[in-house]
Short mmCIF file of all heavy atoms in Angstrom, two decimals:
data_model
loop_
_atom_site.label_atom_id
_atom_site.label_comp_id
_atom_site.label_asym_id
_atom_site.label_seq_id
_atom_site.Cartn_x
_atom_site.Cartn_y
_atom_site.Cartn_z
N GLU B 40 77.07 135.62 44.53
CA GLU B 40 75.92 134.89 44.98
C GLU B 40 75.68 133.60 44.15
O GLU B 40 76.28 133.40 43.12
CB GLU B 40 74.61 135.75 44.88
CG GLU B 40 74.60 136.92 45.82
CD GLU B 40 73.38 137.77 45.55
OE1 GLU B 40 73.29 138.45 44.57
OE2 GLU B 40 72.45 137.65 46.35
N ASN B 41 74.73 132.79 44.66
CA ASN B 41 74.32 131.60 43.91
C ASN B 41 73.78 132.03 42.49
O ASN B 41 72.99 132.95 42.47
CB ASN B 41 73.29 130.82 44.58
CG ASN B 41 73.68 130.15 45.81
OD1 ASN B 41 73.05 130.26 46.80
ND2 ASN B 41 74.88 129.57 45.73
N GLY B 42 74.37 131.46 41.51
CA GLY B 42 73.83 131.80 40.16
C GLY B 42 74.55 133.02 39.56
O GLY B 42 74.11 133.49 38.51
N ALA B 43 75.53 133.48 40.23
CA ALA B 43 76.29 134.65 39.70
C ALA B 43 77.05 134.39 38.44
O ALA B 43 77.33 135.26 37.63
CB ALA B 43 77.21 135.20 40.76
N GLY B 44 77.40 133.06 38.28
CA GLY B 44 78.08 132.69 37.05
C GLY B 44 79.51 132.22 37.23
O GLY B 44 80.25 132.04 36.33
N LYS B 45 79.86 131.96 38.56
CA LYS B 45 81.24 131.48 38.85
C LYS B 45 81.55 130.22 38.19
O LYS B 45 82.58 130.08 37.53
CB LYS B 45 81.41 131.35 40.35
CG LYS B 45 81.02 132.61 41.15
CD LYS B 45 81.13 132.39 42.66
CE LYS B 45 80.14 131.39 43.25
NZ LYS B 45 78.75 131.84 43.26
N SER B 46 80.70 129.21 38.34
CA SER B 46 80.99 127.86 37.82
C SER B 46 80.97 128.00 36.26
O SER B 46 81.77 127.33 35.60
CB SER B 46 79.89 126.83 38.21
OG SER B 46 79.94 126.75 39.64
N THR B 47 80.10 128.77 35.71
CA THR B 47 80.06 128.90 34.25
C THR B 47 81.31 129.49 33.74
O THR B 47 81.98 128.99 32.78
CB THR B 47 78.87 129.87 33.90
OG1 THR B 47 77.69 129.42 34.47
CG2 THR B 47 78.72 129.93 32.37
N ASN B 50 83.85 126.80 33.94
CA ASN B 50 83.57 125.79 32.89
C ASN B 50 84.12 126.19 31.52
O ASN B 50 84.58 125.36 30.71
CB ASN B 50 82.09 125.50 32.75
CG ASN B 50 81.62 124.50 33.81
OD1 ASN B 50 82.41 123.66 34.22
ND2 ASN B 50 80.37 124.65 34.25
N HIS B 87 85.45 120.21 40.06
CA HIS B 87 84.10 120.79 39.93
C HIS B 87 83.34 120.67 41.31
O HIS B 87 83.73 119.86 42.13
CB HIS B 87 83.30 120.01 38.88
CG HIS B 87 83.81 120.40 37.52
ND1 HIS B 87 83.39 121.55 36.89
CD2 HIS B 87 84.66 119.80 36.72
CE1 HIS B 87 83.93 121.60 35.66
NE2 HIS B 87 84.75 120.57 35.58
N GLN B 88 82.34 121.49 41.35
CA GLN B 88 81.45 121.46 42.45
C GLN B 88 80.81 120.14 42.64
O GLN B 88 80.72 119.58 43.75
CB GLN B 88 80.33 122.45 42.16
CG GLN B 88 79.64 123.10 43.26
CD GLN B 88 78.88 124.35 42.73
OE1 GLN B 88 78.94 124.67 41.57
NE2 GLN B 88 78.14 124.91 43.62
N GLU B 89 80.43 119.52 41.51
CA GLU B 89 79.90 118.27 41.52
C GLU B 89 81.01 117.25 41.23
O GLU B 89 81.68 117.39 40.22
CB GLU B 89 78.73 118.06 40.53
CG GLU B 89 77.74 119.19 40.48
CD GLU B 89 76.89 119.24 41.76
OE1 GLU B 89 76.97 118.29 42.54
OE2 GLU B 89 76.17 120.24 41.94
N ASP B 168 86.23 124.56 42.78
CA ASP B 168 84.91 125.10 42.87
C ASP B 168 84.24 124.53 44.16
O ASP B 168 83.85 123.39 44.25
CB ASP B 168 84.07 124.70 41.67
CG ASP B 168 82.84 125.57 41.42
OD1 ASP B 168 82.46 126.23 42.41
OD2 ASP B 168 82.25 125.51 40.35
N GLU B 169 84.23 125.38 45.12
CA GLU B 169 83.67 124.99 46.50
C GLU B 169 84.20 123.68 47.02
O GLU B 169 83.51 122.73 47.26
CB GLU B 169 82.18 124.94 46.41
CG GLU B 169 81.55 126.26 46.08
CD GLU B 169 80.02 126.28 46.23
OE1 GLU B 169 79.58 125.70 47.19
OE2 GLU B 169 79.35 126.82 45.34
N ILE B 199 86.90 129.05 44.66
CA ILE B 199 85.51 129.54 44.73
C ILE B 199 84.92 129.04 46.02
O ILE B 199 85.01 127.82 46.30
CB ILE B 199 84.68 128.99 43.56
CG1 ILE B 199 85.17 129.48 42.26
CG2 ILE B 199 83.21 129.40 43.74
CD1 ILE B 199 84.54 129.02 40.98
N HIS B 201 81.78 129.93 49.32
CA HIS B 201 80.75 130.87 49.90
C HIS B 201 81.12 131.13 51.36
O HIS B 201 80.46 131.89 52.06
CB HIS B 201 79.39 130.23 49.82
CG HIS B 201 78.82 130.22 48.46
ND1 HIS B 201 78.54 131.38 47.76
CD2 HIS B 201 78.55 129.24 47.59
CE1 HIS B 201 78.10 131.10 46.56
NE2 HIS B 201 78.10 129.81 46.49
N ARG B 339 73.76 115.89 47.62
CA ARG B 339 72.59 116.45 46.89
C ARG B 339 72.36 115.73 45.54
O ARG B 339 71.26 115.36 45.23
CB ARG B 339 72.93 117.94 46.62
CG ARG B 339 71.81 118.69 45.96
CD ARG B 339 72.31 120.01 45.36
NE ARG B 339 73.16 120.75 46.36
CZ ARG B 339 74.14 121.45 46.05
NH1 ARG B 339 74.60 121.52 44.79
NH2 ARG B 339 74.83 122.14 46.94
N LEU B 398 70.28 124.76 37.08
CA LEU B 398 70.40 125.73 38.19
C LEU B 398 71.78 125.72 38.70
O LEU B 398 72.50 124.77 38.63
CB LEU B 398 69.42 125.37 39.37
CG LEU B 398 67.91 125.39 39.05
CD1 LEU B 398 67.20 124.95 40.29
CD2 LEU B 398 67.55 126.80 38.62
N SER B 399 72.12 126.87 39.34
CA SER B 399 73.45 126.93 40.06
C SER B 399 73.35 126.03 41.29
O SER B 399 72.24 125.76 41.80
CB SER B 399 73.70 128.34 40.42
OG SER B 399 72.89 128.77 41.47
N GLY B 400 74.52 125.70 41.81
CA GLY B 400 74.57 124.76 42.94
C GLY B 400 73.73 125.15 44.11
O GLY B 400 72.98 124.36 44.67
N GLY B 401 73.74 126.43 44.49
CA GLY B 401 73.06 126.86 45.63
C GLY B 401 71.56 126.76 45.44
O GLY B 401 70.76 126.43 46.32
N GLY B 427 77.21 124.82 49.98
CA GLY B 427 77.23 125.48 48.63
C GLY B 427 76.22 126.61 48.54
O GLY B 427 75.88 126.93 47.37
MG1 MG C 2 78.74 127.04 41.11
#
Side-chain angles (χ1 to χ4, degrees):
Chain B
E40 290 177 288
N41 292 133
K45 305 178 294 289
S46 299
T47 307
N50 277 330
H87 289 277
Q88 205 165 359
E89 314 292 352
D168 197 345
E169 297 187 44
I199 299 179
H201 289 294
R339 184 197 311 145
L398 296 178
S399 72

